[in-house]
Amino acid sequence: MRFRRKQNEVPELNTTSTADISFMLLVFFLVTSSMDTDHGLGRQLAPMDDQRQEQRDINRSNVLQLSIDDNDVLSCDGKTVTLDELRQQVESFLASRQNSQYVIAVETGRKTSYNAYFEMQNSIVAAYRKLDIKPMKIMEGVKSE
């Protein structure tokens, strides 16, 4: 009598819930991970002209000189100001020169923080918006008399 050997078959793995588990893990990691958003300036500069602009002389009274030093100290025409004072000074500067050419010159130090520069720009834009004025076209080569 011959005995037949029973073939040992490996039982199959039940994979019906594998897709569900992987999808749940994917959703879990997407929900719990943090995505840093980029902070930047929401401003668009005027397009560069193909032709070189001519240099123009502007009266010193029509130039507002802003500067931020390496320690993020903001000054307007040589006087230290806060962001609210800057906005008020820019508003009064713009209100008195609506029909003439003017320049807002900005100078920064090499170690000026990005946040200080961004807040200064926001103050300037707030002054423009309050007076409902469109910013002038950016010009190259402007020097004061």
Side-chain angles (χ1 to χ4, degrees):
M1 204 178 339
R2 274 190 169 171
F3 289 106
R4 284 191 175 189
R5 266 188 137 179
K6 207 181 199 186
Q7 287 184 343
N8 291 335
E9 291 183 21
V10 177
E12 292 184 21
L13 293 175
N14 187 3
T15 58
T16 55
S17 65
T18 309
D20 294 336
I21 292 171
S22 61
F23 180 70
M24 287 173 59
L25 285 172
L26 177 68
V27 169
F28 172 76
F29 286 116
L30 284 174
V31 169
T32 59
S33 64
S34 64
M35 305 261 185
D36 291 336
T37 57
D38 291 333
H39 298 285
L41 297 175
R43 314 222 184 359
Q44 184 174 4
L45 297 177
M48 189 169 173
D49 290 337
D50 292 337
Q51 301 171 349
R52 183 79 180 157
Q53 292 182 357
E54 61 197 46
Q55 192 169 8
R56 297 180 186 177
D57 292 332
I58 304 243
N59 191 352
R60 175 64 186 114
S61 63
N62 290 336
V63 177
L64 182 64
Q65 186 72 34
L66 305 177
S67 65
I68 306 175
D69 66 4
D70 291 336
N71 298 321
D72 295 341
V73 176
L74 179 64
S75 62
C76 179
D77 285 333
K79 299 173 188 167
T80 303
V81 293
T82 64
L83 290 171
D84 288 332
E85 293 170 343
L86 172 67
R87 184 183 50 78
Q88 292 170 356
Q89 286 188 3
V90 171
E91 283 178 18
S92 64
F93 177 79
L94 294 174
S96 64
R97 289 162 183 82
Q98 281 188 350
N99 295 328
S100 63
Q101 287 191 341
Y102 58 88
V103 173
I104 298 177
V106 177
E107 181 181 347
T108 61
R110 287 189 177 265
K111 295 182 182 178
T112 301
S113 72
Y114 181 74
N115 193 35
Y117 183 77
F118 190 68
E119 288 174 349
M120 181 217 39
Q121 267 206 338
N122 280 341
S123 294
I124 295 171
V125 170
Y128 272 99
R129 287 188 179 152
K130 185 172 182 182
L131 296 174
D132 198 27
I133 301 172
K134 275 190 147 184
M136 287 179 60
K137 184 178 177 184
I138 296 172
M139 296 189 303
E140 295 178 7
V142 177
K143 70 176 183 180
S144 60
E145 292 179 347

